[in-house]
Amino acid sequence: MSRTVGTVSRGLRAPIIREGDDLIDIVTQSVLNAARSPEDGFTVRDRDIVAMTEAIVARAQGNYASVDQIAADVRAKLGGGTVGVVFPILSRNRFAICLRGIAKGCEKVILQLSYPSDEVGNHLISLDALDEKGVDPYRDVLTLEKYRELFGYEKHPFTGVDYVEYYENLIKEAGAQVEVIFANDPRAVLEYTKDVLTCDIHSRARSKRLLKAAGGNRVLGLDDILTASVDGSGWNEKYGLLGSNKATEDKVKLFPRDPQPLVDAIQKKLMEETGRHIEVMVYGDGAFKDPAGRIWELADPVVSPAYTAGLEGTPNELKLKYLADNDFGHLSGEALRDAIAEAIKKKDTNLKGQMVSEGTTPRRLTDLIGSLCDLTSGSGDKGTPIIYIQGYFDNYTTE
């Protein structure tokens, strides 16, 4: 065991991507240039991983939509009257421009906010404040007036924004009337309108089911808006507006359309150039939670919308601490090292349910790797939308 380094994650700098750019060539050349760099070079190995952020894929596709195009689709599908907008996340980047388009396609919006936080952990108020006021978030439906009476004008600790006021003003500025309620049962909105756009991400199927069963008329989710081009817009047939984020003040970038052929083509190109079998994936938000801000990062519908076959599945790992403390607790030094190495070599191909794997991370490989990529690339000005990972599939015995 001469190797002293395990997994390495590198952010690779790349050109600014524009519509129509050839990502197969750009990603391949970025990898080759980095590997050959005299300062930061590395040796390309089989089962290395190349990942690219979903943003550059959607940008190369030109997958954008304007406020007016969103409004046209909302009006056509929900009738243009009073529409319930249920469970939006609190985000200027992720939802504000979508809300402008939605409101522009309606006469009136019934805005139903979950509380004390949205789906991804942005808090309107604290649990302590609920306890102090005797409010039961599982049962109580609050009007805006009651919410203000109880909790006043709370601002987000990181952004300094009162999202209730911000969303209310956005709707009014788009030309629609607005009424705000606070409830955690999606069916509360049916007291105001039977036409509903549910805006939650990971619980959307349940929300739609409950609303339809309770008498909702036209019940759609964000994944049902812009599933096809509207007046020349971009679209996403699988996710609609889910996974979109702000491009300009009146335009959103949508989640990339069908990127599977892209990752397969990049894998093939890298094999031609390097002779190595490299796994390739597209990643969006990582799936992790910030313990201080309490924000769960995953605002995209999935961490990875496309990946090559070698990234399917979950880790199959032994817990070294368990082996060291239990099976081989009587050993130390080289004897302990050799015993653990032999156990790894002989491990079952499926360790599910076995005590020796207890405590290893029970998540899909693409979710784990996507989270690593998201943390490596960041969301600001690092300029590294391509991530190169080595050693991810190595273990303690890998030379």
Side-chain angles (χ1 to χ4, degrees):
M1 285 172 283
S2 58
R3 284 188 46 190
T4 57
V5 176
T7 301
V8 176
S9 179
R10 295 178 173 90
L12 305 188
R13 292 182 178 175
I16 303 299
I17 304 301
R18 297 293 190 187
E19 180 176 353
D21 283 350
D22 182 351
L23 280 185
I24 299 171
D25 181 67
I26 290 172
V27 172
T28 300
Q29 290 305 314
S30 295
V31 170
L32 296 177
N33 291 341
R36 296 166 181 162
S37 167
E39 295 86 10
D40 307 305
F42 50 86
T43 300
V44 176
R45 305 188 188 108
D46 285 323
R47 297 217 77 190
D48 288 353
I49 303 167
V50 174
M52 71 210 87
T53 177
E54 58 81 22
I56 66 171
V57 180
R59 291 176 68 187
Q61 292 175 338
N63 206 20
Y64 294 88
S66 70
V67 165
D68 288 339
Q69 289 163 337
I70 295 170
D73 207 29
V74 168
R75 190 179 302 110
K77 292 176 176 175
L78 287 162
T82 299
V83 174
V85 174
V86 175
F87 297 160
I89 64 172
L90 307 174
S91 172
R92 294 169 296 175
N93 174 48
R94 286 289 190 169
F95 191 71
I97 308 302
C98 292
L99 181 59
R100 286 182 57 202
I102 293 164
K104 200 167 183 180
C106 308
E107 291 181 3
K108 182 176 182 178
V109 171
I110 307 299
L111 182 65
Q112 180 177 329
L113 300 175
S114 57
Y115 74 100
S117 71
D118 68 8
E119 180 183 6
V120 297
N122 290 298
H123 275 66
L124 288 171
I125 48 179
S126 68
L127 287 169
D128 290 336
L130 291 182
D131 294 340
E132 179 185 339
K133 300 297 184 179
V135 174
D136 183 349
Y138 299 102
R139 296 184 180 182
D140 294 342
V141 178
L142 306 178
T143 63
L144 178 60
E145 292 72 25
K146 187 64 177 178
Y147 173 86
R148 292 301 191 195
E149 176 190 328
L150 291 169
F151 305 113
Y153 288 78
E154 290 283 338
K155 292 186 177 181
H156 192 283
F158 289 166
T159 65
V161 174
D162 179 338
Y163 278 97
V164 178
E165 182 178 63
Y166 178 56
Y167 278 5
E168 186 182 17
N169 289 337
L170 276 180
I171 293 167
K172 291 176 180 177
E173 289 166 5
Q177 302 173 55
V178 58
E179 188 168 351
V180 184
I181 62 172
F182 301 81
N184 290 311
D185 186 333
R187 294 168 291 192
V189 78
L190 297 177
E191 295 293 321
Y192 301 82
T193 180
K194 304 299 182 185
D195 295 327
V196 183
L197 180 65
T198 181
C199 300
D200 41 347
I201 305 161
H202 307 290
S203 56
R204 62 188 185 275
R206 178 176 183 267
S207 294
K208 290 182 195 178
R209 172 174 56 80
L210 291 174
L211 286 161
K212 290 174 182 177
N217 179 22
R218 288 171 282 203
V219 176
L220 300 176
L222 286 180
D223 55 330
D224 298 308
I225 305 299
L226 288 183
T227 52
S229 181
V230 174
D231 299 332
S233 74
W235 74 94
N236 190 304
E237 60 275 6
K238 187 173 183 180
Y239 296 119
L241 277 177
L242 286 177
S244 63
N245 51 34
K246 180 179 180 180
T248 69
E249 291 302 324
D250 64 356
K251 185 182 293 186
V252 294
K253 177 197 66 59
L254 303 175
F255 214 47
R257 295 191 304 270
D258 188 22
Q260 189 62 45
L262 174 66
V263 298
D264 292 336
I266 292 174
Q267 184 180 58
K268 180 180 178 182
K269 183 71 171 177
L270 286 167
M271 171 62 81
E272 293 170 356
E273 294 287 343
T274 68
R276 299 296 186 180
H277 182 87
I278 298 171
E279 304 297 346
V280 183
M281 67 182 286
V282 176
Y283 68 95
D285 274 348
F288 51 84
K289 185 172 183 177
D290 169 26
R294 296 169 293 177
I295 299 170
W296 184 43
E297 178 71 7
L298 188 54
D300 286 326
V302 290
V303 173
S304 177
Y307 50 88
T308 50
L311 298 177
E312 186 60 68
T314 58
N316 189 59
E317 300 172 339
L318 299 174
K319 192 74 170 178
L320 294 192
K321 291 185 295 184
Y322 181 87
L323 290 175
D325 291 342
N326 289 273
D327 296 36
F328 309 122
H330 59 291
L331 301 176
S332 61
E334 288 189 11
L336 175 60
R337 183 197 66 190
D338 293 344
I340 288 178
E342 189 65 21
I344 292 172
K345 291 176 181 177
K346 292 181 177 179
K347 70 181 177 181
D348 292 343
T349 56
N350 185 355
L351 294 169
K352 184 177 181 180
Q354 295 187 35
M355 188 62 69
V356 288
S357 68
E358 183 179 11
T360 58
T361 307
R363 286 167 60 185
R364 287 157 40 106
L365 287 168
T366 50
D367 293 340
L368 291 164
I369 297 166
S371 297
L372 173 60
C373 291
D374 192 24
L375 287 166
T376 302
S377 62
S379 58
D381 59 6
K382 293 183 184 297
T384 56
I386 300 167
I387 306 300
Y388 197 85
I389 299 172
Q390 294 190 292
Y392 193 84
F393 296 105
D394 293 353
N395 61 41
Y396 188 58
T397 69
T398 304
E399 294 290 346

